[in-house]
């Protein structure tokens, strides 16, 4: 513990006349930047950018600038400052309801220098400060109080919340006491533009980009705000912030997304754009009222697909050839099925990207438009004005398209229009919520389609799921347990006798300690040939169609997942979590 006081403050070296005129030694800020690079918290270019700001005299507080630029999360920065300085961290101690030593430590002084008096003891005073690199400030505080001081390091965002608790808000508080709604909204908007809220907003997006997240969840609670990021399909990296920041954060995100900041009783949806390493990222914003505030979920959508074809998504060479062949036909219906979050849209966009050669007119109707593709006409449905999938499709077919992509077939009317479009010479791509390729046929017939019409237009069905990829730098081999081996051999009776080797997640620096890096697709591809077409027209039951597929070597999702686990690409536990391997094939209900 480092205690500052008039008698035990660290001695400062006297100037040495013999060194006059020499290049001065590095200051605390420079040494701290070297420390951050050495410890792997910063990249060298980031450090040089901060040094340039130091040299130009444009820097007010190095820790604040580091978080404002999104180079480090607040918790990570606080830990590094504690390690570098030897000071204690602020560990969530309650802020005093009234200022301590108000006569000597004014609000203006505390706000400008970013420190707060936390508590007064018999032998010392607890002070939380943002910048422990400012040794002159620490000495000045100890001098002003004329007593020993125990300094604790506090993050910039947490400090702003503490400042508001101790001194109150200068701009806006107590909206409930205001009879003027417009005035309250103006003050809320002003609050959203303050530096702490801007820094927090930037931090949320920078952290999401750094973790490779697809979603940001902002969840208000009774006493705090929780933030979680969805990475590789799982919610991870939880963070918590003071509840006092929620109003400003919500208002800022609503303003950026073009939403109504006065409406807090109804759900709202909007969009905004952010920049990640020079590339634009579309962000879809959903706001949902809850008893403790408005829950916000932001979906991060790349402006273009990162995948360079079906193999990069995880499809086998054979499957990639089948999908490419079906999506290159001049007409017919190609469906991608699976639950929400199984990568259906990415697969469809990859197919569109492969055939988008400017020789064909391609139109999509989506809810919402998730990726923007040059050369493709994209239409977003708007149910509130009557522009649903069926209505949009009728107009689209009058635009002379060659290829039509429907975001999702949700009802019988949309299904019938899609089939009619395929019958009249269009290639139609769409998605459907079913568990397997064979179940897709049953679902469409249940929607009211005639079996003979479906048989005439269906090119194929692709059923898929997403499973997390193991990090190849740290995965650990293991021998399957007796129970696991029994499940695997039930689906792979062709395996040779002997122990089965699998791999488990471990965690390293390359994968951020999670043991996983990215996701891969597990798929079943049913390409409709003459035999399958006749079975569909005859109304053959789902199980009979599934048995025919297995006899033809078209294996279901369960076998595809097991094969990837045996190859060491995924963990068997993840396959178990994603698919039902409790004895029946996940895609058909029949033994594989």
């Amino acid at each position: 513990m480092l205690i500052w006081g008039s008698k035990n403050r660290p001695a400062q070296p006297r100037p040495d006349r013999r060194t006059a005129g020499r290049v001065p030694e590095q200051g605390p800020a420079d040494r701290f930047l070297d420390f951050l690079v050495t410890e792997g918290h910063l990249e060298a270019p980031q450090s040089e950018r901060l040094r340039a700001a130091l040299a130009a005299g444009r820097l007010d507080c190095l820790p604040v600038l580091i978080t404002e630029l999104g180079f480090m999360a607040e918790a990570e920065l606080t830990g590094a400052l504690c390690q570098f300085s030897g000071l204690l961290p602020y560990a969530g101690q309650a802020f005093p309801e009234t200022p301590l030593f108000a006569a000597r430590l004014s609000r203006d002084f505390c706000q400008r220098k970013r420190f707060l008096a936390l508590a007064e003891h018999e032998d010392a005073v607890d002070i939380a400060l943002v910048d422990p690199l400012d040794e002159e400030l620490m000495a000045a505080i100890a001098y002003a109080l004329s007593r020993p001081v125990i300094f604790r390091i506090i993050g910039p965002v947490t400090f702003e919340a503490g400042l508001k608790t101790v001194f109150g808000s200068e701009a806006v508080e107590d909206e409930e006491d205001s009879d003027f709604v417009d005035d309250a909204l103006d003050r809320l908007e002003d609050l959203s533009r303050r530096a702490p809220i801007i820094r927090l907003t930037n931090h949320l997006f920078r952290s999401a980009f750094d973790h490779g997240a697809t979603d940001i969840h902002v969840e208000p609670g009774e006493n705090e705000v929780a933030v979680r990021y969805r990475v590789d399909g799982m919610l991870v990296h939880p963070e918590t912030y003071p509840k006092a920041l929620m109003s400003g954060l919500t208002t800022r995100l609503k303003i950026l997304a073009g939403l109504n900041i006065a409406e807090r009783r109804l759900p709202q949806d909007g969009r905004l754009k952010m920049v990640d390493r020079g590339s634009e990222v579309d962000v879809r914003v959903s706001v949902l009222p809850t008893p403790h505030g408005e829950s916000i979920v932001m979906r991060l959508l790349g402006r273009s697909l990162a995948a360079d074809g079906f193999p990069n998504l995880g499809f086998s060479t054979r499957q990639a050839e089948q999908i490419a062949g079906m999506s290159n036909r001049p007409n017919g219906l190609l469906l991608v099925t699976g639950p929400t979050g199984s990568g259906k849209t990415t697969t469809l966009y990859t197919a569109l990207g492969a055939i988008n050669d400017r020789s064909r007119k391609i139109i999509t109707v989506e809810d919402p438009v998730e990726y923007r593709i040059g050369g493709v006409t994209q239409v977003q449905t708007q149910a509130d004005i009557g522009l649903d999938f069926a209505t949009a499709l009728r107009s689209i077919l009058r635009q002379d398209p060659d290829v039509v992509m429907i975001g999702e077939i949700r009802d019988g009317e949309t299904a019938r229009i899609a089939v009619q479009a395929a019958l009249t010479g269009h290639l139609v791509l769409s998605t459907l919520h079913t568990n397997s390729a064979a179940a897709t046929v049953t679902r469409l017939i249940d929607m009211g389609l005639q079996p003979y019409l479906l048989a005439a237009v269906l090119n194929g069905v692709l059923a898929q799921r997403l499973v997390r990829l193991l990090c190849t730098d740290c995965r650990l081999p293991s021998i399957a347990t007796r129970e696991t081996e029994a499940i695997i051999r039930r689906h792979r009776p062709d395996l040779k006798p002997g122990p089965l080797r699998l791999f488990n997640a471990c965690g390293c620096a390359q994968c951020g300690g999670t043991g996983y890096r990215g996701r891969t697709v597990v798929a079943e591809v049913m390409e409709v040939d003459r035999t399958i077409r006749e079975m569909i027209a005859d109304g053959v039951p789902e199980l009979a169609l599934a048995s025919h597929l297995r006899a033809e070597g078209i294996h279901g999702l369960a076998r595809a997942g097991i094969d990837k686990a045996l190859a060491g690409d995924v963990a068997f536990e993840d396959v178990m979590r994603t698919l039902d391997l409790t004895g029946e094939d996940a895609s058909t209900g029949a033994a594989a």
Side-chain angles (χ1 to χ4, degrees):
M1 179 185 300
L2 183 60
I3 302 179
W4 282 65
S6 57
K7 294 182 180 180
N8 51 12
R9 176 163 51 93
Q12 301 295 317
R14 295 181 178 180
D16 189 344
R17 295 180 180 178
R18 293 172 298 179
T19 62
R22 296 183 184 178
V23 177
E25 294 183 1
Q26 284 188 321
D30 282 310
R31 294 199 303 272
F32 182 57
L33 288 175
D34 288 340
F35 169 81
L36 292 178
V37 174
T38 301
E39 294 296 319
H41 296 292
L42 288 182
E43 301 291 338
Q46 295 173 324
S47 173
E48 292 308 313
R49 181 177 174 184
L50 293 167
R51 291 183 198 278
L54 281 170
R58 299 192 301 269
L59 193 60
D60 177 28
C61 177
L62 179 59
V64 168
L65 186 61
I66 290 174
T67 55
E68 192 168 298
L69 292 176
F71 289 164
M72 294 176 66
E74 179 172 298
E76 181 187 9
L77 175 63
T78 301
L81 284 168
C82 290
Q83 185 180 355
F84 177 78
S85 66
L87 298 180
L88 298 171
Y90 166 76
Q93 296 95 329
F95 294 109
E97 295 182 358
T98 58
L100 301 177
F101 311 103
R104 284 171 281 181
L105 303 178
S106 67
R107 178 192 177 111
D108 180 64
F109 184 33
C110 293
Q111 187 168 7
R112 282 188 296 107
K113 294 300 184 179
R114 298 179 177 87
F115 75 92
L116 288 170
L118 294 176
E120 180 181 9
H121 309 292
E122 291 183 2
D123 56 345
V125 177
D126 279 355
I127 296 288
L129 83 165
V130 173
D131 188 4
L133 308 176
D134 190 344
E135 296 178 348
E136 292 183 359
L137 169 63
M138 298 167 74
I141 294 172
Y143 178 79
L145 296 177
S146 300
R147 60 198 306 179
V149 176
I150 300 174
F151 286 103
R152 301 178 185 275
I153 298 175
I154 189 171
V157 175
T158 308
F159 163 76
E160 296 287 351
L163 185 75
K164 180 179 176 181
T165 300
V166 175
F167 289 99
S169 172
E170 289 185 329
V172 157
E173 275 311 285
D174 227 358
E175 296 164 18
E176 293 180 358
D177 294 339
S178 174
D179 295 328
F180 302 97
V181 176
D182 290 341
D183 182 52
L185 293 178
D186 289 341
R187 289 182 292 175
L188 256 183
E189 194 166 346
D190 175 69
L191 177 64
S192 73
R193 293 193 176 101
R194 289 187 180 181
I197 298 300
I198 294 174
R199 287 197 296 270
L200 176 57
T201 305
N202 291 341
H203 161 70
L204 295 185
F205 285 108
R206 173 52 52 203
S207 184
F209 295 147
D210 289 344
H211 288 119
T214 57
D215 302 83
I216 305 172
H217 290 243
V218 181
E219 303 162 334
E222 184 175 359
N223 301 312
E224 62 185 13
V225 180
V227 176
R228 295 187 291 172
Y229 304 93
R230 189 173 295 281
V231 180
D232 296 334
M234 306 293 287
L235 285 172
V236 294
H237 306 296
E239 301 174 354
T240 57
Y241 296 96
K243 185 65 178 290
L245 297 173
M246 189 65 197
S247 294
L249 176 61
T250 301
T251 302
R252 177 161 182 78
L253 291 172
K254 282 186 171 182
I255 291 172
L256 293 174
L259 302 178
N260 182 1
I261 65 172
E263 180 56 72
R264 304 176 190 172
R265 300 166 300 170
L266 296 174
Q268 296 188 68
D269 295 301
R271 297 181 83 99
L272 59 92
K273 295 178 183 177
M274 297 297 291
V275 177
D276 176 28
R277 298 172 180 87
S279 299
E280 274 193 339
V281 177
D282 273 341
V283 182
R284 193 172 75 216
V285 181
S286 172
V287 180
L288 182 69
T290 74
H292 299 301
E294 292 176 287
S295 173
I296 303 173
V297 175
M298 292 171 282
R299 168 67 56 88
L300 310 180
L301 304 166
R303 300 286 286 172
S304 60
L305 288 176
D308 294 324
F310 297 109
N312 283 349
L313 297 179
F315 293 101
S316 68
T317 302
R318 172 60 181 157
Q319 289 174 336
E321 292 173 351
Q322 288 178 295
I323 301 169
M326 291 185 291
S327 58
N328 263 303
R329 294 181 186 177
N331 52 60
L333 178 63
L334 174 60
L335 297 173
V336 182
T337 74
T340 300
S342 58
K344 301 186 299 294
T345 301
T346 300
T347 298
L348 280 185
Y349 273 104
T350 303
L352 286 184
I355 63 176
N356 183 24
D357 57 4
R358 303 284 181 167
S359 66
R360 285 179 274 197
K361 174 79 169 183
I362 302 175
I363 304 180
T364 74
V365 52
E366 307 166 64
D367 180 23
V369 174
E370 295 197 7
Y371 299 98
R372 309 295 172 87
I373 302 181
V376 175
T377 302
Q378 296 174 272
V379 178
Q380 180 163 320
T381 63
Q382 299 182 62
D384 54 338
I385 61 173
L387 183 62
D388 55 17
F389 280 109
T391 303
L393 273 174
R394 294 190 189 95
S395 298
I396 284 173
L397 294 177
R398 292 193 288 269
Q399 290 279 311
D400 188 30
D402 297 294
V403 180
V404 177
M405 190 196 88
I406 307 169
E408 182 183 347
I409 294 179
R410 298 177 177 175
D411 52 55
E413 184 178 10
T414 304
R416 286 191 294 273
I417 297 174
V419 168
Q420 289 298 327
L423 283 170
T424 54
H426 304 89
L427 175 64
V428 180
L429 312 178
S430 189
T431 70
L432 197 65
H433 286 281
T434 61
N435 290 329
S436 68
T440 301
V441 174
T442 303
R443 175 71 185 281
L444 290 172
I445 293 175
D446 289 343
M447 283 184 172
L449 293 183
Q450 295 297 325
Y452 71 91
L453 287 179
L454 181 59
V457 300
L458 190 61
N459 290 344
V461 179
L462 166 62
Q464 67 178 62
R465 304 287 189 276
L466 291 179
V467 181
R468 292 184 295 176
L469 280 168
L470 286 169
C471 174
T472 55
D473 290 312
C474 64
R475 62 183 180 179
L476 294 176
S478 65
I479 300 300
T481 64
R482 183 177 301 174
E483 294 78 8
T484 298
E485 183 175 345
I487 296 173
I488 292 175
R489 292 191 181 278
R490 188 179 301 123
H491 294 277
R492 285 292 311 273
D494 58 314
L495 291 175
K496 296 179 180 179
L500 299 179
R501 189 177 75 157
L502 300 171
F503 286 84
N504 298 317
C506 179
C508 66
Q510 299 301 319
C511 60
T514 66
Y516 300 94
R517 293 171 68 182
R519 287 189 289 177
T520 186
V521 71
V522 173
E524 170 196 19
V525 178
M526 179 182 78
E527 187 173 6
V528 177
D529 56 18
R530 177 178 295 180
T531 302
I532 295 176
R533 205 174 298 281
E534 291 174 353
M535 294 177 72
I536 295 173
D538 292 339
V540 170
E542 177 184 331
L543 289 180
L545 179 57
S547 297
H548 171 76
L549 296 179
R550 302 299 165 261
E552 293 296 313
I554 303 173
H555 298 291
L557 294 171
R559 173 145 179 179
I562 288 174
D563 287 348
K564 292 207 170 189
L566 292 172
D569 297 331
V570 302
F572 182 76
E573 289 74 15
D574 259 20
V575 177
M576 285 284 291
R577 179 179 58 83
T578 306
L579 305 173
D580 178 15
L581 304 186
T582 56
E584 300 297 320
D585 189 300
S587 64
T588 68

